[in-house]
Structure formats: C-alpha cells, structure tokens
Amino acid sequence: MSLIRIIVSAIYVVAQVFLARPSLVEGRQARNLLVGQTSGHHHGTQDASLSDSYNNNSELPRFAEEIQNVTVSVGRDALLACVVDNLRHYKVAWVRVDTQTILSIHQNVITQNPRITLSYNDHRSWYLHIKEVQEVDRGWYMCQVNTDPMKSRQGYVQVVVPPSIITKETSTDMVVREASNVTLTCKATGYPEPYVMWRREDGKNINYNGESVNVVDGEVLHIVKISRLHMGAYLCIASNGVPPSVSKRVSLRVQFPPMLSIPNQLEGAYIGQDVTLECHTEAYPNSINYWTTERGDMIVSGNSVSGDKYEAVATDSGYNKYMMLKIRNVGPKDFGSYKCVAQNSLGGTDGVIKLDEIPAPSTTSTTQPPYYATSAHKNGRNSNKKSRQRPIDYEVEEWRNPDYDRDYGPASMRPPGDLPDIQSPGVSHRARLVLHLSSSLLSLLLPAIRR
C-alpha cells in the first residue's frame, strides 16, 4: 500500500509539472493534497495558517458553499458537490480522508474503483459520483484546491442499511411441554443498529414475568412456566428508521393432555322430546373425541356423524373443542348415562352426563280461587279503617302462640270461659282457626259431659 501511495504521489507531481502553473509545486503542498485535513466530523475545514491578507485576496480561488453531507441507502447512488469560484489555473482534487486515497485530480479519475466517476460544469462545479454505494464507502471526502497553502472542504457520506433478520441466529417454530421454560431469540443486522421487539401475531397481550404486556423489547423473549395461554404465533420485528422494517414469524405450540368441562352433568327430558348434551375439551396435540353409552358402546367417532337417532358434532377452535350430542325423539331406553371421551398422545379423560326422565308438560291447567282474609294493622292500630283483602300467605303471616293472647296474656292468666271474639281485629288468622276448631270441638263434647 505504501508503494502504491508513493507511485500515486509521483503521478500527481508529474501532473502538476505539466498542468499547473510554471513554477513547481513544493513538496509540502503535495503532501497536503494526499493527506488533507482530517480533523473533524464537520461540513468543511480550512487551513488554520491562512492569513487575513490571503483570505481577502479576491484573485485566489474560494469555495462558494460548504460540501453538504449525504445520507444514502446501501445500493443507491451518492453525489458530492464542490463549488469553487475564481479557480483560474488552479486544480481541484477529490481525496478520501480516512484512507488518504486520491480519487481524482482536475478532470482525471485516479482511483481504480469503477463505481467512482467525476463530472464538472463551467470550471466551477466539481461533482464526485459514487454508484451503488456500499458500507465501505461510508466516511469523509475532501475537495482540495492546490493553492499555497492548500484550501479544502469536507463532506460526509452516511450509508444506511435497512434491517434484516439473521436467520441462523433466530429461533424457529417450537413445540414444548406445558410448565417448561422457553426462550425465543431474534438477531438482526443493519445500520444504524436495529431495534428488536416481540409481539403476538393476533395482537393479544403476553403474560410476561407476571405482567400482561403487548410488546416485549429486546432480542430475547424468555417465558417461565409456559402455559397453553402462551400458545400462538409470535412476531420478531426489527426496525432502525430505514424502510422497510422486517419481521419473522415464530410459531409456539404447547403440549398438554386433554382436559374437559361439562356445563350440565344432569339433563332431563320427557318421552318424545329432542335433547342435546354438551361437553368442552382442551388438548394439544389435538385429541380424538367421541361419545359412549352407559354400557360403553361408542356412539360416534370422528367430527360429524348424523343419523336418525343421534347427531354428534365436534367443533375445533385452537386447542379447544366443543362436543355436542343430540338425541332425537327420546324413548324409555334412552335414559341413563352418557360419556364424552377425549384422548391424545399425552393421555385421556372423560366425563359423564346423566339423562333422566321428567313428566311431560300438561296441556290443561287449573287455577284455585284466591283465598281472601281480613288483616288488621300490627298492634291493632287503625283497626277501624276499611280492611284490605289479600290472598293468604302462611309464609309471611306472623307466627302466633295459641297459648298467648295479646289482650289477656298467657292462657293461665285468662279468665275462665272468657274467649276472645273470633272476629276481633286483634286476632290473627291462625288464631281464628284454632278458636274455631276449639269451639266446634267444645260443642261436640258438652252434650256428652252433661249426660
């Protein structure tokens, strides 16, 4: 590399001899052209040794504007513009600052990079073209004018790269047992460095470290004691502000043995009725579901079978399955127990539903006439008001002790032969019944006693 730089320097010196002004260029100026001023990540620089008189000399070249920084996506073309006023017989050169490589001198391209070309306009605007930019092209570029001392400006070429997911370092579809720990990993590359996150494809929240979150930041998604609720497709999404963002889909399956639930374990039907039995199961891998009779005879196998007597349907929704058995025109032999069964490679389970006979609904109905009773306000107040009539309600009626009367107290304290009036508003309905029965019984016994 040093030998090449020496050769290029020699070529430049020879070019100066033939193209520059009559006087030879000093060695210090040639070195400035090759090395340039590498002092900064800024738009442009100018030699600090320039004197005021030199700056004010209108006969010397001067830069009309700063070299604008350029941001370009990899694979696109980049353009740097250097505009110099009053160039006259001076020459313009383009130099790659970080590698100290001369790219062009005046109207000649020096570099062997076929993607770099030069264009100019009116001996004032000098354009450096970089075709199909690659990441190696990222860096500072200097436009020099071979004055003494040398003048220069710098511009930065930023090469951005849209994100891409590294397949060999990213998790693929997984099948795990319930209650185990699972780690999903996603690696992405790009410039700037991509931001990576995980979320569910169906948009549902993720139960993550005891919290329900919609997005998990970072390359790693670690789930402790995974459950069937975590089952589904997950998206690893990488973005860095350079379109387009990319994602990868990872399917996560959780294995567990069948489980079932029965909404109604006891069903009733009358002769001639159609009845439906229901059963809900959960299992992964998907289970084989069927119904059996009380004697163990299989009624149906498969998803859907229709017949004159039975109709069985099984509907899948993820790891959930709904089982339905419809029995048409129930007869005496149809009463008994029915069993729903679910089995997969990890185990099996079943549940029993009992079908009992109930009386058929009557086509006629009889209604008893309402029984009305006179009720007085509690404690006998407002007893002279018009009594309201209502059906008797023994559950609501206040309980009365037959051995106690509110007017006389306990029966032992009541004067003999002095019974309260049955129609008295202070007597409850139950007390009236007791008094009525007592009076009837007394009227039957008195003749016998008198004999």
Side-chain angles (χ1 to χ4, degrees):
M1 181 62 71
S2 300
L3 180 59
I4 294 174
R5 291 177 181 172
I6 294 173
I7 295 173
V8 172
S9 301
I11 294 173
Y12 174 73
V13 172
V14 173
Q16 290 287 0
V17 170
F18 291 98
L19 299 176
R21 55 189 173 180
S23 61
L24 295 177
V25 180
E26 297 181 358
R28 178 174 58 83
Q29 181 178 352
R31 287 194 300 273
N32 286 341
L33 180 63
L34 286 173
V35 178
Q37 293 179 327
T38 61
S39 61
H41 295 277
H42 51 273
H43 290 295
T45 59
Q46 189 172 3
D47 198 304
S49 64
L50 292 177
S51 63
D52 293 339
S53 61
Y54 179 80
N55 289 330
N56 296 329
N57 191 344
S58 59
E59 296 181 357
L60 293 177
R62 63 179 180 275
F63 292 100
E65 58 189 48
E66 300 289 347
I67 299 177
Q68 299 298 317
N69 295 337
V70 176
T71 299
V72 60
S73 295
V74 65
R76 301 293 185 91
D77 297 344
L79 177 66
L80 292 173
C82 180
V83 182
V84 183
D85 288 335
N86 197 30
L87 184 60
R88 297 191 297 167
H89 58 272
Y90 291 96
K91 304 296 181 292
V92 173
W94 281 100
V95 179
R96 176 74 184 266
V97 175
D98 51 357
T99 60
Q100 301 180 6
T101 303
I102 298 177
L103 303 177
S104 69
I105 298 177
H106 201 53
Q107 300 176 358
N108 304 302
V109 177
I110 304 300
T111 180
Q112 298 300 312
N113 187 342
R115 296 184 295 105
I116 293 181
T117 58
L118 181 71
S119 66
Y120 45 89
N121 183 21
D122 298 333
H123 203 64
R124 181 175 182 269
S125 301
W126 302 83
Y127 301 100
L128 183 69
H129 301 264
I130 308 176
K131 296 182 179 179
E132 298 177 357
V133 169
Q134 300 176 4
E135 288 195 76
V136 295
D137 299 323
R138 185 185 297 118
W140 289 97
Y141 292 79
M142 179 184 291
C143 176
Q144 294 182 348
V145 179
N146 63 336
T147 56
D148 187 15
M150 177 264 295
K151 287 186 175 183
S152 67
R153 288 288 186 272
Q154 293 186 41
Y156 192 81
V157 175
Q158 177 65 278
V159 182
V160 294
V161 183
S164 62
I165 294 178
I166 307 174
T167 303
K168 64 180 180 180
E169 299 184 32
T170 300
S171 300
T172 57
D173 295 347
M174 301 179 67
V175 179
V176 297
R177 289 294 298 268
E178 194 168 34
S180 62
N181 298 336
V182 177
T183 300
L184 300 180
T185 304
C186 180
K187 295 288 186 179
T189 184
Y191 191 89
E193 183 180 357
Y195 158 72
V196 178
M197 67 177 182
W198 288 92
R199 68 175 180 85
R200 287 184 64 113
E201 186 180 49
D202 56 13
K204 296 180 180 178
N205 284 355
I206 304 172
N207 187 1
Y208 189 70
N209 294 333
E211 297 182 2
S212 181
V213 297
N214 187 256
V215 171
V216 176
D217 297 323
E219 299 177 342
V220 177
L221 174 63
H222 183 66
I223 304 176
V224 178
K225 292 185 178 180
I226 194 168
S227 75
R228 66 197 68 180
L229 299 178
H230 291 102
M231 188 183 302
Y234 291 78
L235 294 178
C236 161
I237 302 173
S239 59
N240 64 351
V242 183
S245 298
V246 294
S247 64
K248 182 178 179 181
R249 183 179 187 271
V250 179
S251 177
L252 182 59
R253 299 296 177 185
V254 182
Q255 292 183 328
F256 59 96
M259 299 179 62
L260 65 81
S261 63
I262 299 174
N264 298 304
Q265 292 181 310
L266 181 62
E267 291 282 357
Y270 54 84
I271 300 296
Q273 183 185 7
D274 293 348
V275 67
T276 299
L277 310 182
E278 295 179 335
C279 189
H280 299 273
T281 67
E282 298 179 2
Y284 190 83
N286 291 334
S287 58
I288 299 173
N289 293 35
Y290 57 91
W291 293 88
T292 65
T293 63
E294 191 173 21
R295 297 181 297 274
D297 299 330
M298 184 182 297
I299 297 176
V300 62
S301 61
N303 286 337
S304 179
V305 173
S306 298
D308 295 336
K309 188 65 177 178
Y310 301 106
E311 179 183 357
V313 177
T315 305
D316 292 339
S317 177
Y319 57 82
N320 295 280
K321 183 172 290 189
Y322 167 73
M323 299 175 61
M324 187 229 11
L325 176 64
K326 185 175 183 179
I327 307 173
R328 296 190 178 93
N329 193 19
V330 173
K333 294 182 179 180
D334 297 323
F335 298 111
S337 297
Y338 293 84
K339 184 181 295 185
C340 58
V341 183
Q343 293 181 337
N344 69 0
S345 58
L346 303 179
T349 186
D350 57 59
V352 177
I353 302 176
K354 188 176 181 182
L355 179 60
D356 285 343
E357 181 180 1
I358 60 175
S362 176
T363 57
T364 60
S365 60
T366 58
T367 304
Q368 294 182 350
Y371 181 86
Y372 296 98
T374 302
S375 175
H377 194 276
K378 190 173 181 180
N379 295 330
R381 286 179 291 182
N382 298 327
S383 58
N384 57 347
K385 292 185 179 181
K386 183 177 180 180
S387 300
R388 57 189 176 90
Q389 293 181 331
R390 61 176 178 84
I392 184 170
D393 187 353
Y394 289 101
E395 298 297 329
V396 179
E397 185 68 42
E398 182 181 357
W399 180 83
R400 304 288 184 176
N401 187 347
D403 294 329
Y404 183 90
D405 185 84
R406 72 175 66 190
D407 296 326
Y408 295 96
S412 58
M413 300 297 293
R414 186 181 304 154
D418 191 1
L419 295 176
D421 185 4
I422 293 179
Q423 299 301 327
S424 174
V427 181
S428 67
H429 174 70
R430 182 171 297 181
R432 293 192 191 101
L433 292 177
V434 172
L435 292 173
H436 178 73
L437 293 175
S438 300
S439 300
S440 301
L441 182 60
L442 185 59
S443 62
L444 293 175
L445 294 177
L446 281 177
I449 294 174
R450 291 172 179 172
R451 292 193 190 103

